[in-house]
Amino acid sequence: MQIGALDALLISVIGIAIVFAVLMILMGVIMLMGLIADKSPAIAAKLPKFKFGKKKKAAEDTAAPAETSDAQPAVGTCGELLLVNTEERDAAMIMAIVADTLDTPLNELRFKTIRRVD
């Protein structure tokens, strides 16, 4: 049994229509969830809050030694930071904002590169 060009085109159009219909249904569900979360703060407060980054360590693990000798890196530092078209002041502010947003101590974060995008 062979399928003609017109039948193949009709099957393709029906398949694409089904995919778009499912995408529209998913979009409606997501928009509805957003409206519910905006209208009822009590429900939004019960939703889990996700935190990114490492878990906080015990006080013994993060305690710095009393004496550092011979220019040893501080506890928690992770190497060099490459600044591209960025001043040190701006980079420090960016790192502080990221640490505050993630609610993570700055020495537990690792920044490899900070690049200014114009």
Side-chain angles (χ1 to χ4, degrees):
M1 178 174 162
Q2 292 198 356
I3 298 177
L6 193 57
D7 291 334
L9 183 63
L10 183 63
I11 292 171
S12 298
V13 169
I14 291 172
I16 292 172
I18 290 172
V19 168
F20 275 101
V22 170
L23 286 174
M24 284 192 237
I25 292 170
L26 285 173
M27 183 180 68
V29 168
I30 291 172
M31 290 176 68
L32 183 65
M33 289 173 57
L35 288 174
I36 291 172
D38 287 343
K39 298 291 181 185
S40 59
I43 293 175
K46 292 180 183 177
L47 294 175
K49 302 285 187 231
F50 295 103
K51 298 208 178 213
F52 298 101
K54 297 179 181 178
K55 293 183 179 178
K56 298 194 186 234
K57 297 180 182 178
E60 302 88 39
D61 294 342
T62 59
E67 293 285 327
T68 56
S69 61
D70 298 329
Q72 294 291 327
V75 175
T77 58
C78 294
E80 298 290 322
L81 172 64
L82 177 64
L83 298 178
V84 180
N85 295 335
T86 307
E87 295 181 12
E88 288 184 8
R89 179 180 178 272
D90 296 334
M93 189 171 298
I94 290 168
M95 291 188 288
I97 291 169
V98 170
D100 185 55
T101 303
L102 297 177
D103 197 27
T104 303
L106 190 56
N107 68 338
E108 292 182 10
L109 297 175
R110 181 177 181 193
F111 295 91
K112 294 180 181 179
T113 304
I114 297 179
R115 177 176 290 130
R116 181 178 178 171
V117 179
D118 292 325

